[in-house]
Amino acid sequence: MEQKNTTSPQNSRSTNFVRPTRTFTATRSARTPHSTPRQTHSTRTANETSPRGKNQRTGNKRPRQQQRRSMTNPALTHRIAPTNPKIPAIAPLTDIDTVRIVPLGGVEEVGKNMTVVETIDDILIFDAGFQFVSSESDAPGVNYILPNTQYLEENKDKIKGLVITHGHLDHIGGIPFIMERIGNPPIFTRYLTSLMILKRQEEFPHLPKVTMNVIEIGQRIKIGNTYITPFPVTHSIPDSMGVSVETKHGNVVISGDLKLDHDNGDPTAKEKEVWGGLGQNKNILFIGDSTNAERDGFSIPEVRVHTNIEKIVSEVRGRLIVGTFASQFERMIRIIMICEKLGKKVALEGRSIKTNLEIAELAGLMKVAKGTIIPIQDIGNYPSDRVVILATGAQGEEFAALMRIATQRHKFITLNDRDTIMLSSSVIPGNELSVQKLKDNLYRRGVHIIHYRASDVHSTGHGNSGELVWIREQVKPKFMMPAYGYHSMLRCHAYANIEAGFPKENIILSDNGTIIDIKNGTELFIHKEKAPSEIMMVDGFTVGARQEVVIRDRQSLSEDGMFVIIATVNAKTGALRKSPDIISRGFVYLRENQQLLSEARILIKKTVEKNTASSNPIDLDFVKDEITEVVSAFLMQKTNKTPMVIPVLIGI
């Protein structure tokens, strides 16, 4: 294979290469870390209770909701939260004839892909993605969801490398958040993917530099004491690869995300060569993409999409705005090349699109003639039918370019009935409502919309069940494990192969954390114990396990709001110095509920006086607890809502 130009995307990065793999590390100037030092608070909070959740004076049980809230720790946490010490007792791998597979993500969802292959000597990690948190999720305020890495942290000394199959965020997005936790192992991947990872690492200058090894297709690479061989796969992003891992009794073949390049269901000669060559090895396990397994037959070939897009670009009368994934390198490049051939101008709108096309130029995937790409502010200088705009936001993201255009919040683009919008992407599961909102807003502007359901302007990057069965038949594994998808997708992948004659007992349907041992290449053993699989969350600077109480408090705030009471108490007599102030957020509109507030103030005054009358000294923490219980019950009775009641008492 021709040697690629290995120039780094940034001048500040030095590049060193060592054969057989090309190795380079990213160097950066020192900057102030973004992480927040760990802090502890020894004072009691307003809602603190005794260990058993009882009132320390009266012994009465606290309401369940109040017990739940009292556990919330208001202290800021370090950027990396501690792991759960209660790791299950998992027998270490000590048998030279056994290979262990542990999916830590990607087999119960679409996203956060991570798979572990372990031998007696080494642990190799395949992919480290994250999952975006939708606005409809049950984790308000969380940025991303990560695979649980506790099993890897407990076996950090065995980790020899992180292998990345391609550059989509569900396969690389977790790298900045987990590398410190697992010992910062070297990364092995293709050239374009390496550039995408390093570009993303620039957003985290406080992290240790990563060691990047650029590997080539067909190159047999030794990582630790284990050999791997990457092979090319067809996907929606260049430099995608699968990996064959050599073990003592046969190979473990990991597909990565993929589809087939085919002509009406007949795979191309290149596909037959790649997969037929893999089938000549002894393969004990095939881990295969299941994302589109619920669809029968073969997917739409990308060449058909390119043909249809070229026809639309050439025939459209008026401006054409194309909404697509920023990771659709080949499609964006093809659109730019078509516009260049037709003499049209291309404007880029969206940071991720601009960044990825810069990476594509650096990687040598495209060379654009000067003047083809114009600044977005210059589109008014050209006839509308000579302008094509590539924009992010086809999934209906609130602040992405397309939604801002659709809601008339864009500085340079105002839609009219001569504009055409082409949504060249499918709907990611979970984004249906946001995409529908986007389409409704676009239609309100009178534009013409072309989408993948009405025209072949998008092809998935994942194979349908017919393709997946054909691939498995070529690989000829002893066992197979469907991966990369919801459980329904894994099941459909399994059913399709069973119908094609593959033994049902040789199919592994796993969950995140399932520990799978294959001995002598023929004996399958699935452990009863599981590796920790509770999701890890990125919440601001904190990376850690799901903090149930914090999430529940956020859910409570989003549903019923908060009711804050601020009162000044005479520290000697216990009398209120003035009527308490009340702040309501997300609960009731205060101006329209003056009677409720008056009654609440009277109740607060009586509660304070009752619980301080015979106290010396006055225990303000105890009074706070009593106010919380009494006011919570009162508000529930009056409104049938349970806002979070937060009393603040100031003793003077």
Side-chain angles (χ1 to χ4, degrees):
M1 178 174 289
E2 181 181 356
Q3 175 117 2
K4 295 179 181 175
N5 186 337
T6 56
T7 305
S8 171
Q10 297 291 330
N11 294 332
S12 62
R13 182 180 297 123
S14 62
T15 306
N16 300 307
F17 295 93
V18 179
R19 284 293 183 185
T21 58
R22 296 182 290 171
T23 306
F24 56 97
T25 59
T27 61
R28 304 174 180 85
S29 58
R31 290 176 58 181
T32 303
H34 290 193
S35 57
T36 303
R38 185 186 304 276
Q39 302 178 23
T40 57
H41 290 243
S42 59
T43 58
R44 289 177 58 184
T45 67
N47 294 328
E48 187 176 351
T49 64
S50 63
R52 295 186 181 183
K54 294 184 179 181
N55 183 302
Q56 295 185 40
R57 284 209 175 178
T58 64
N60 296 327
K61 288 188 176 182
R62 309 281 304 280
R64 181 177 298 177
Q65 186 181 42
Q66 181 59 27
Q67 292 182 36
R68 170 177 87 198
R69 290 174 181 164
S70 67
M71 297 168 61
T72 303
N73 184 358
L76 295 175
T77 57
H78 187 271
R79 186 175 53 79
I80 296 182
T83 56
N84 180 4
K86 298 180 180 180
I87 185 170
I90 300 171
L93 182 58
T94 57
D95 184 2
I96 194 172
D97 294 308
T98 298
V99 58
R100 174 169 292 176
I101 312 296
V102 186
L104 294 178
V107 292
E108 295 184 43
E109 65 272 309
V110 173
K112 69 180 184 72
N113 298 291
M114 177 180 284
T115 304
V116 172
V117 177
E118 181 178 358
T119 65
I120 192 172
D121 298 315
D122 306 321
I123 285 179
L124 301 185
I125 308 166
F126 293 86
D127 295 319
F130 67 28
Q131 188 178 48
F132 286 104
V133 180
S134 70
S135 58
E136 293 82 21
S137 76
D138 60 352
V142 171
N143 305 106
Y144 311 113
I145 297 175
L146 304 173
N148 192 307
T149 57
Q150 189 169 343
Y151 180 82
L152 296 174
E153 294 166 49
E154 296 291 329
N155 296 277
K156 189 184 303 185
D157 58 319
K158 288 186 67 176
I159 299 174
K160 300 306 191 320
L162 170 61
V163 182
I164 304 296
T165 59
H166 65 280
H168 284 157
L169 287 173
D170 59 340
H171 291 256
I172 70 170
I175 291 175
F177 305 108
I178 70 163
M179 290 296 278
E180 283 185 282
R181 303 180 76 107
I182 63 176
N184 205 26
I187 299 174
F188 299 82
T189 191
R190 302 290 309 282
Y191 182 56
L192 176 65
T193 309
S194 73
L195 296 181
M196 297 182 72
I197 293 171
L198 290 176
K199 186 69 174 178
R200 182 168 169 76
Q201 289 296 110
E202 292 174 6
E203 301 176 13
F204 302 86
H206 55 286
L207 295 181
K209 60 187 178 182
V210 298
T211 301
M212 186 68 67
N213 297 273
V214 176
I215 61 180
E216 304 293 344
I217 290 298
Q219 177 186 3
R220 188 168 178 259
I221 303 146
K222 187 177 183 181
I223 305 177
N225 291 319
T226 304
Y227 285 92
I228 70 168
T229 303
F231 57 89
V233 299
T234 302
H235 190 41
S236 57
I237 186 171
D239 273 1
S240 296
M241 69 178 188
V243 184
S244 180
V245 185
E246 298 179 23
T247 71
K248 182 178 179 181
H249 295 283
N251 296 350
V252 175
V253 179
I254 300 173
S255 75
D257 286 355
L258 84 171
K259 60 184 290 186
L260 284 178
D261 188 9
H262 64 92
D263 182 11
N264 292 324
D266 181 23
T268 62
K270 180 182 177 181
E271 298 281 15
K272 292 177 181 178
E273 179 184 358
V274 169
W275 294 105
L278 282 170
Q280 294 177 9
N281 304 322
K282 180 183 179 183
N283 300 313
I284 59 175
L285 177 65
F286 176 60
I287 301 175
D289 181 11
S290 306
T291 305
N292 258 7
E294 293 176 315
R295 300 182 182 180
D296 296 331
F298 281 59
S299 60
I300 300 171
E302 187 70 18
V303 65
R304 189 190 306 173
V305 174
H306 291 166
T307 301
N308 291 340
I309 289 178
E310 181 167 2
K311 182 179 179 182
I312 291 169
V313 173
S314 62
E315 295 180 355
V316 71
R317 297 293 178 260
R319 269 186 319 199
L320 176 63
I321 302 174
V322 181
T324 189
F325 298 123
S327 59
Q328 291 275 7
F329 280 81
E330 292 184 3
R331 193 168 303 166
M332 292 191 298
I333 293 169
R334 180 60 61 96
I335 291 172
I336 293 172
M337 295 300 103
I338 292 170
C339 291
E340 185 175 297
K341 182 175 69 173
L342 298 173
K344 296 194 174 191
K345 304 299 181 181
V346 180
L348 309 178
E349 185 57 7
R351 185 172 70 93
S352 56
I353 281 182
K354 295 175 183 177
T355 298
N356 284 355
L357 287 177
E358 288 175 5
I359 292 173
E361 283 196 272
L362 180 62
L365 296 176
M366 72 174 190
K367 186 175 182 181
V368 184
K370 186 177 180 180
T372 298
I373 297 179
I374 62 173
I376 191 68
Q377 59 266 30
D378 291 349
I379 59 175
N381 299 336
Y382 301 90
S384 60
D385 60 354
R386 312 305 293 173
V387 174
V388 174
I389 300 169
L390 289 177
T392 57
Q395 296 302 302
E397 299 94 328
E398 182 179 358
F399 300 108
L402 267 182
M403 187 61 83
R404 287 188 287 114
I405 294 170
T407 54
Q408 297 180 309
R409 291 182 289 123
H410 197 280
K411 187 175 181 180
F412 302 107
I413 303 173
T414 302
L415 295 176
N416 59 67
D417 56 7
R418 295 189 69 243
D419 291 329
T420 298
I421 311 292
M422 181 169 67
L423 300 178
S424 185
S425 63
S426 58
V427 180
I428 295 175
N431 291 346
E432 292 84 0
L433 290 178
S434 57
V435 172
Q436 185 61 49
K437 182 179 179 181
L438 171 66
K439 288 164 62 178
D440 288 345
N441 284 323
L442 289 171
Y443 274 119
R444 289 181 186 279
R445 311 303 158 211
V447 301
H448 176 55
I449 297 180
I450 303 171
H451 55 85
Y452 75 102
R453 292 190 182 276
S455 179
D456 291 338
V457 293
H458 173 71
S459 176
T460 176
H462 306 270
N464 291 5
S465 62
E467 297 163 77
L468 303 179
V469 169
W470 183 90
I471 290 171
R472 192 270 309 159
E473 290 175 342
Q474 304 305 304
V475 175
K476 301 171 185 166
K478 173 68 175 178
F479 302 100
M480 71 163 291
M481 187 182 86
Y484 312 146
Y486 294 109
H487 188 79
S488 63
M489 299 170 181
L490 310 187
R491 284 279 177 180
C492 289
H493 191 175
Y495 292 155
N497 278 278
I498 292 171
E499 291 176 4
F502 193 78
K504 179 179 179 180
E505 61 273 15
N506 288 3
I507 296 178
I508 306 165
L509 288 170
S510 62
D511 292 325
N512 292 330
T514 300
I515 300 175
I516 304 148
D517 287 351
I518 301 177
K519 185 174 182 179
N520 299 321
T522 57
E523 302 172 28
L524 178 66
F525 177 72
I526 299 178
H527 290 249
K528 293 181 180 179
E529 302 82 12
K530 294 178 66 176
S533 58
E534 180 186 19
I535 60 176
M536 306 286 283
M537 294 183 172
V538 180
D539 184 4
F541 290 146
T542 301
V543 179
R546 181 187 182 104
Q547 298 169 321
E548 276 295 334
V549 178
V550 172
I551 298 301
R552 283 202 291 257
D553 279 352
R554 291 179 185 175
Q555 291 170 342
S556 176
L557 287 170
S558 68
E559 292 170 0
D560 293 328
M562 63 190 297
F563 194 84
V564 182
I565 302 162
I566 304 174
T568 305
V569 181
N570 188 312
K572 294 182 178 180
T573 66
L576 289 180
R577 297 179 68 91
K578 66 174 184 176
S579 180
D581 295 324
I582 294 177
I583 301 172
S584 172
R585 291 291 183 270
F587 172 50
V588 294
Y589 185 45
L590 296 184
R591 290 186 180 179
E592 297 180 356
N593 290 272
Q594 292 301 313
Q595 180 64 29
L596 177 71
L597 296 183
S598 298
E599 294 179 18
R601 287 190 174 97
I602 294 172
L603 186 62
I604 294 166
K605 183 176 183 295
K606 289 181 178 179
T607 303
V608 172
E609 293 174 349
K610 174 184 176 183
N611 289 282
T612 58
S614 59
S615 299
N616 188 16
I618 295 172
D619 186 351
L620 289 182
D621 286 332
F622 172 71
V623 178
K624 290 176 187 177
D625 292 343
E626 292 299 307
I627 291 175
T628 300
E629 291 186 14
V630 171
V631 174
S632 294
F634 167 75
L635 295 178
M636 178 64 184
Q637 180 185 20
K638 292 292 185 177
T639 68
N640 198 31
K641 292 183 179 181
T642 56
M644 184 177 292
V645 176
I646 304 175
V648 179
L649 299 185
I650 303 171
I652 297 178

